[in-house]
Amino acid sequence: MLELDISPEGVATLTLNRPEVHNAFNSELVNALIMQLDALTENPKIRALLLTSNGKHFSSGADLNWMQEMATHTPFQNHKEAQTLAELLHKLDVFPHPTIAAINGAAFGGAIGLICCCDIAVANPESKFCLSEVKLGLIPATIGPYVIRAMGVRQSRRYFLTAEIIKSQHAVQLSLIHEINEDPIQAAKDLIHNLLFNGPNALAQAKKVIALCEQHPLDKELRRTTSQMIAEIRVSKEGQEGVQAFFDNRSPSWHDEHQDS
């Protein structure tokens, strides 16, 4: 259902593994993803996360058999299941290390939410995307905040309502994905290889800056907070090592560790 691999360099790969149903996610897969994200967040050896899938398609979204079953449950049970999916998206969105989605084939419905929660997304030229919920009489509610953040309100007003197929080339223009590559997994690995040469704490703090600036107006408080962040990282062990390595015309320690691994 979900495969985990951790490389010697600290790259965790989570692979959706329900190819018989196009990697549709149900309660078990959602909970498995939450469990692994929690464990990886606490693992000090992790440097990056790659999210991908086995089979022809990245994910068809929510498993319709699961959705049909949930229709027989109480409103409370449905709300609880929806909250669990929201928890998954949030945990992926705030994962402390760089995250990359490598997408093959189709990504429909809730799968687009997973993609938009990753820092970087790479898809192959044949990939197709669709916010298909309204075709089923449903709405892209739980994934909505992340998708709207990625593609903007104006584009969301179209594609939430039309449920049109979005091809890879257009998905780049809509900011659903960053890059098209014939081999998205290899492209993602190349990106991660480059990321690992950057300061591990700097990467985590850079993600915090992005989240902070997204959530707050550019006011005195934001200026104060971001100034404090750069002041603290300048005197941190990693910050001092990086600057000193530059003046010494050598690689910083984490760079050497990555090369040796």
Side-chain angles (χ1 to χ4, degrees):
M1 179 173 293
L2 181 65
E3 297 178 350
L4 169 65
D5 176 74
I6 301 176
S7 74
E9 297 84 5
V11 178
T13 301
L14 283 175
T15 305
L16 308 180
N17 190 32
R18 301 187 75 212
E20 69 282 0
V21 290
H22 305 306
N23 295 307
F25 43 85
N26 56 12
S27 179
E28 290 76 17
L29 181 55
V30 169
N31 281 293
L33 282 163
I34 289 174
M35 182 182 71
Q36 292 294 357
L37 287 173
D38 283 343
L40 293 170
T41 297
E42 296 300 320
N43 187 335
K45 296 182 179 180
I46 298 303
R47 295 283 311 277
L49 172 65
L50 171 60
L51 179 65
T52 188
S53 61
N54 286 327
K56 186 177 179 180
H57 298 293
F58 179 75
S59 174
S60 59
D63 190 318
L64 293 183
N65 290 321
W66 176 42
M67 299 294 286
Q68 186 178 46
E69 178 187 347
M70 289 308 301
T72 67
H73 292 185
T74 66
F76 174 79
Q77 289 172 315
N78 270 278
H79 188 212
K80 188 175 180 180
E81 287 284 344
Q83 285 183 314
T84 303
L85 177 58
E87 181 184 3
L88 165 60
L89 294 168
H90 174 69
K91 287 181 182 293
L92 180 58
D93 188 55
V94 301
F95 191 75
H97 310 291
T99 55
I100 301 183
I103 304 136
N104 56 296
F108 280 24
I112 296 182
L114 293 177
I115 293 167
C116 290
C117 287
C118 289
D119 299 316
I120 305 171
V122 183
N124 64 20
E126 293 76 34
S127 291
K128 295 180 180 180
F129 306 83
C130 182
L131 291 153
S132 53
E133 286 85 350
V134 292
K135 285 184 176 294
L136 303 172
L138 305 172
I139 55 174
T142 310
I143 67 172
Y146 307 101
V147 179
I148 293 170
R149 181 183 62 189
M151 63 191 294
V153 172
R154 187 60 176 164
Q155 298 295 352
S156 298
R157 290 180 72 158
R158 172 174 175 169
Y159 292 100
F160 276 34
L161 302 178
T162 63
E164 296 170 74
I165 295 292
I166 303 169
K167 295 182 179 180
S168 286
Q169 292 77 6
H170 192 42
V172 172
Q173 297 172 0
L174 293 174
S175 296
L176 285 178
I177 61 174
H178 293 90
E179 181 181 328
I180 300 171
N181 193 290
E182 290 286 351
D183 189 344
I185 292 180
Q186 185 57 52
K189 289 181 178 179
D190 291 342
L191 284 166
I192 290 173
H193 178 77
N194 291 332
L195 285 168
L196 294 180
F197 286 116
N198 302 328
N201 184 52
L203 290 171
Q205 293 300 313
K207 291 189 65 166
K208 288 184 178 180
V209 170
I210 294 167
L212 186 70
C213 294
E214 177 196 358
Q215 296 163 7
H216 296 87
L218 208 173
D219 57 12
K220 183 177 181 180
E221 180 62 23
L222 182 61
R223 294 195 300 273
R224 186 197 67 79
T225 303
T226 51
S227 297
Q228 182 67 25
M229 292 177 75
I230 184 59
E232 290 177 356
I233 206 165
R234 280 175 183 160
V235 298
S236 69
K237 182 178 179 180
E238 182 179 288
Q240 291 182 328
E241 164 66 10
V243 173
Q244 190 60 50
F246 174 81
F247 283 110
D248 292 345
N249 195 27
R250 61 174 174 82
S251 299
S253 57
W254 63 84
H255 186 137
D256 295 334
E257 290 168 4
H258 175 39
Q259 282 190 319
D260 293 339
S261 59

